[in-house]
Amino acid sequence: MNPHVDDARSLVNALTCDVEDYFQVSALAPHFPRSGWDGTPCRVEANVDRILALMDAAGAKGTFFTLGWIAERYPALVRRIAEAGHEIASHGYGHERASDQSPEAFLCDIRLAKAILEDITGLEVRGYRAPSFSVGLSNPWAHDCIQAAGYVYSSSVYPVRHDHYGVPDAPRFTYPVGNSLVEIPITTVRRFGRNWPVGGGGYFRLLPYGVSAWGIRQVNAGDRKPAIFYFHPWELDPGQPVVLEASAKTRFRHYVNLERTEARFTRLLNDFAWGRMDEVFLSGDTPSA
Ligand SMILES: [Zn+2]
């Protein structure tokens, strides 16, 4: 082991990618009706291939929460991700928020995605992440469905206050939500009586890199827990078409600093040790770098 590796590298954190294309993002949904998805040129394959190369160069492993809709169209991509040693998990089939569906429709969606992904890789899919972290107080049945569909863990709750998602008082670390299911929430830092998001997404692009790095170190050194970081392939793609009709807030959140994200992401890959959700959280002992 490198003697110069600092404390922050003493824990392996979980790197997670939600595999969807730019036109499937919930905030842009009004501008990309589902009926038009099939005719919209995809950018996800090239973006994921670039991410796989960056992760390979850094020796990082991770979990790819993949949409069934994408997997059906790009099965070879799903196999490449798995063959590179990453975990394939499920992001559902059609990227509808759990909170917008009936329990029956939700169960159908997450069962279908699991079956498609398992058919492609021949491996059990154990993890599920709801689109837009849409499991919360309004749909307590969602965890029952996730367990009924045969998943072992969910990473669908973000214990923060946000206008589109979040359960501010949810536990910050892994907790049981059924006989055979655990919820593994996205990472937050606890300060001033509330939880602050440090686990990726728009915050990673909007705030200086040091904020995310500080947050991960706080969780590793202060809480002695692994962190979860999440991102999307389109966040490393400044060449994606811009939706000028979207609101100023949506445009800001979606497009801010896209051109800087790849360099930032590469730095993140090299500053911490990264592993798969199943290996970081389900293997019993917390792995060390
Ligand atoms: Zn998503």
Side-chain angles (χ1 to χ4, degrees):
M1 179 178 275
N2 182 344
H4 300 294
V5 167
D6 64 28
D7 262 4
R9 288 200 63 126
S10 63
L11 280 181
V12 177
N13 297 294
L15 189 65
T16 68
C17 178
D18 294 354
V19 180
E20 65 197 45
D21 222 325
Y22 68 95
F23 55 82
Q24 296 169 318
V25 172
S26 300
L28 294 179
H31 309 283
F32 293 107
R34 278 158 202 284
S35 55
W37 282 9
D38 264 323
T40 308
C42 284
R43 301 177 66 87
V44 69
E45 185 174 32
N47 289 336
V48 171
D49 278 332
R50 204 163 71 255
I51 288 161
L52 290 175
L54 294 171
M55 290 176 70
D56 184 51
K61 292 285 185 271
T63 293
F64 288 71
F65 291 94
T66 305
L67 276 189
W69 192 94
I70 294 288
E72 272 185 341
R73 285 152 183 83
Y74 298 95
L77 176 65
V78 176
R79 279 191 287 272
R80 284 201 294 284
I81 298 170
E83 282 161 10
H86 307 295
E87 179 188 12
I88 297 291
S90 161
H91 197 32
Y93 181 82
H95 211 257
E96 284 194 63
R97 287 186 173 123
S99 47
D100 288 345
Q101 298 183 74
S102 67
E104 294 74 24
F106 176 63
L107 183 58
C108 209
D109 176 284
I110 63 178
R111 275 194 168 136
L112 177 61
K114 190 172 192 289
I116 290 169
L117 294 166
E118 290 180 347
D119 272 358
I120 292 170
T121 63
L123 299 168
E124 185 192 359
V125 167
R126 301 203 282 170
Y128 169 76
R129 173 172 291 155
S132 308
F133 306 110
S134 54
V135 173
L137 301 176
S138 72
N139 53 356
W141 45 263
H143 277 131
D144 298 336
C145 292
I146 298 167
Q147 179 172 287
Y151 294 97
V152 175
Y153 73 89
S154 161
S155 183
S156 304
V157 172
Y158 207 160
V160 293
R161 206 176 298 279
H162 186 280
D163 53 354
H164 290 164
Y165 53 74
V167 185
D169 301 321
R172 292 176 54 226
F173 299 107
T174 306
Y175 58 101
V177 284
N179 296 332
S180 58
L181 184 73
V182 290
E183 174 62 41
I184 311 176
I186 299 290
T187 295
T188 57
V189 165
R190 183 92 186 154
R191 281 289 184 284
F192 312 116
R194 60 183 280 189
N195 300 334
W196 301 87
V198 293
Y203 304 103
F204 182 66
R205 286 178 288 119
L206 175 62
L207 301 174
Y209 170 80
V211 175
S212 294
W214 171 83
I216 294 167
R217 287 196 180 95
Q218 288 298 309
V219 172
N220 288 171
D223 296 300
R224 298 304 303 164
K225 300 276 192 190
I228 302 176
F229 185 85
Y230 84 97
F231 67 103
H232 305 87
W234 55 263
E235 292 187 274
L236 279 74
D237 181 10
Q240 67 188 277
V242 174
V243 181
L244 295 171
E245 301 78 20
S247 72
K249 183 165 89 170
T250 294
R251 272 185 287 137
F252 178 72
R253 281 181 176 175
H254 190 91
Y255 301 114
V256 67
N257 286 337
L258 288 180
E259 69 289 347
R260 294 188 191 168
T261 306
E262 182 168 325
R264 235 177 234 201
F265 179 67
T266 303
R267 194 170 165 194
L268 186 78
L269 288 178
N270 289 302
D271 281 354
F272 298 90
W274 297 102
R276 304 160 43 133
M277 288 287 288
D278 57 351
E279 292 177 356
V280 170
F281 292 105
L282 301 182
S283 61
D285 298 331
T286 302
S288 292

